[in-house]
Structure formats: C-alpha cells, structure tokens
Amino acid sequence: MILPALSRARSQGRKLLAVLVDPDKASRENLEALGRYANEGMIDYFLWGGSLVNEVESSYYLRLLKAITEVPVLLFPGSVYQLDEHADALLLLSLISGRNPELLIGHHVTVAGRIKQMGLTTIPTGYILIDGGKPTSVSYMSGTTPIPADKPAIAAATALAGEQLGLRLIYLDAGSGALNPVDARTIRAVRAEVVLPLVVGGGIRTPERARQSLNAGADMIVVGNGLERDADWLPQLAEVVRGGVRIA
Ligand code: 1GP
C-alpha cells in the first residue's frame, strides 16, 4: 500500500514529509509530541532506525508510537538486528552508492527468511549516500564512500542503475546530522533521470532547506535530527511541504 500511495502523491504533485525517529534517542515526550502532529495530518510517514539501536527499547518505543498514531511506520534499518513486526513496512535498503557487498546483498540473504516469517512488506530501496560535508555515522558504519556532492552525474547514473535493476524507490541521503543537505543540482539530476519516487534526507534542519529539496524534485523529505530535541517547528515545516512549493 505504501508504494502506490507514494506514486499517487507523485502523480498528483503532492509532496510528503517523513520524520525519522532514531529509537536510541527516543523519549516518550518527543514521541507524544510527534504523534500529535502526525494525528493533525502534518506527517505522512515515520522512518524508524539508527546506527546503534537497542532492540528491546526500540520495540517498546515503536509499540508506543503505534498506540499514539496510525501514521505508517517504515523501518529504516541500520543493521540486520533492526527488524520489527510492529512496523508497517521495511525499506529494504541496497546501498548502491557503495561497494560493500554485505550492504548490496549479503545482509539481505541473512534476513530474507526472517522478513518472510514476520510478514513484513518490503520496499526495495536504492539507497544513495551523498557527501554532506563531514563524516557521518552511516558512512563510517557502512564502510563506504559517499558520492561527492559536486558530482550530480554520478548520483544520477547510480539512481538510473538502481531503477534498471528493479528497485522501487530512490533515497538520496547526506547522512543524519550532515552539515550540508543534498545539493539541489544533485536532486535535479536524479529527478531528471528516473521516474521512481525520490526521497531526500540528511541535514534538513530548517523549512527553507526543506523547500529547496522539494523544489529541486524530492517527492518526500526526511527530517530526523532537527526534530529530536525540538519538534516545535514541525508546523512550519509541514506548511512548506503541504503548499506553496514552486517546482523548479
Ligand atoms: C538520515 O535522512 C535522514 O538518514 C535524516 O537526517 O537526521 O540529518 O535530519 P537528519
């Protein structure tokens, strides 16, 4: 149901907002605040995952969030230990900007049976890291080099290869806490090359940065860090996502 919803939003020119929750940094107060905003229609999806996650706590907080809101939660796993049957779907990430075979196919083989057993819906995702101006947890933990920020053609060719391989979603990520979000030229180049839904995240900490990513062609933006301690600016962010987006 998630992929058709994304495609429908794309064909209608509607932009979407996903909020990333790192379960290791979650708190009841923050989840309740985010859940309220979600119930007011400001959040389309939650992404759930992080680089280092305590499985037990993660499961507790995920169930807490599911009790607060019906907005779908998509697993965005930092490792094979981050599967949870309480989620609505799994972003089955293939790190196609990297050359680490474990993150292209190895881990997928390890957890394939478990995913099937849990009945988790999978969303095959071409995950592309773009240099965000400083080393991030994801580049370090994955042992991969992000695509340089000033090489949009490489990002576009990578996304196109992902589409040709049959992946269903492209996620351009500067990494959580990135200094610089994914550059508009890179987003435009990828947008021009593929028809798949395009998700962009990493380093989006202001409504203006969100607007730039959306104007450049992102269908959905992901915001994590910037809302972890302070969710008060979410209404402004949602306003940018919901309306007034000029398509560049
Ligand atoms: C990271 O795209 C997400 O994978 C969100 O990044 O935490 O910097 O918003 P931030």
Side-chain angles (χ1 to χ4, degrees):
M1 296 314 283
I2 310 273
L3 273 171
L6 282 176
S7 304
R8 204 165 42 248
R10 176 157 162 59
S11 64
Q12 295 168 345
R14 262 190 313 117
K15 304 289 183 172
L16 302 174
L17 173 63
V19 170
L20 171 66
V21 177
D22 180 340
D24 238 33
K25 298 180 194 154
S27 68
R28 175 179 279 270
E29 296 69 36
N30 188 249
L31 289 184
E32 282 173 348
L34 291 173
R36 273 195 300 277
Y37 287 129
N39 289 339
E40 287 171 30
M42 296 187 200
I43 298 172
D44 298 289
Y45 295 100
F46 284 99
L47 263 53
W48 192 266
S51 293
L52 294 171
V53 168
N54 174 322
E55 282 173 79
V56 178
E57 270 184 34
S58 173
S59 179
Y60 165 77
Y61 281 123
L62 178 51
R63 277 176 285 146
L64 179 68
L65 181 63
K66 293 298 296 175
I68 299 172
T69 179
E70 286 179 6
V71 166
V73 180
L74 315 180
L75 295 176
F76 174 53
S79 78
V80 294
Y81 301 108
Q82 295 178 31
L83 298 179
D84 192 317
E85 60 203 345
H86 296 100
D88 295 276
L90 164 69
L91 292 184
L92 189 58
L93 305 171
S94 194
L95 182 50
I96 57 177
S97 56
R99 299 296 179 266
N100 178 344
E102 289 303 316
L103 301 176
L104 287 163
I105 183 63
H107 290 172
H108 310 69
V109 174
T110 305
V111 294
R114 199 154 159 241
I115 292 171
K116 186 175 176 185
Q117 205 172 36
M118 286 180 162
L120 272 170
T121 300
T122 54
I123 303 174
T125 301
Y127 187 45
I128 299 178
L129 290 180
I130 307 289
D131 193 305
K134 69 166 196 180
T136 56
S137 302
V138 60
S139 58
Y140 177 76
M141 296 297 274
S142 67
T144 67
T145 309
I147 295 175
D150 62 349
K151 300 290 178 200
I154 297 178
T158 304
L160 180 59
E163 184 170 84
Q164 290 168 342
L165 279 165
L167 298 172
R168 307 291 301 279
L169 187 78
I170 297 294
Y171 186 161
L172 293 177
D173 196 354
S176 198
L179 279 182
N180 312 315
V182 179
D183 188 84
R185 283 171 308 163
T186 299
I187 300 173
R188 265 192 227 107
V190 170
R191 178 70 291 156
E193 200 67 88
V194 300
V195 296
L196 292 176
L198 180 57
V199 177
V200 176
I204 299 176
R205 285 183 290 274
T206 63
E208 190 44 39
R209 284 184 162 194
R211 190 192 309 276
Q212 286 163 4
S213 300
L214 294 166
N215 280 344
D219 297 307
M220 177 160 88
I221 53 161
V222 182
V223 180
N225 249 268
L227 292 167
E228 260 161 25
R229 268 172 238 102
D230 173 19
D232 289 354
W233 64 286
L234 202 134
Q236 278 171 281
L237 177 63
E239 206 177 300
V240 165
V241 176
R242 290 287 171 259
V245 172
R246 177 183 53 79
I247 304 301

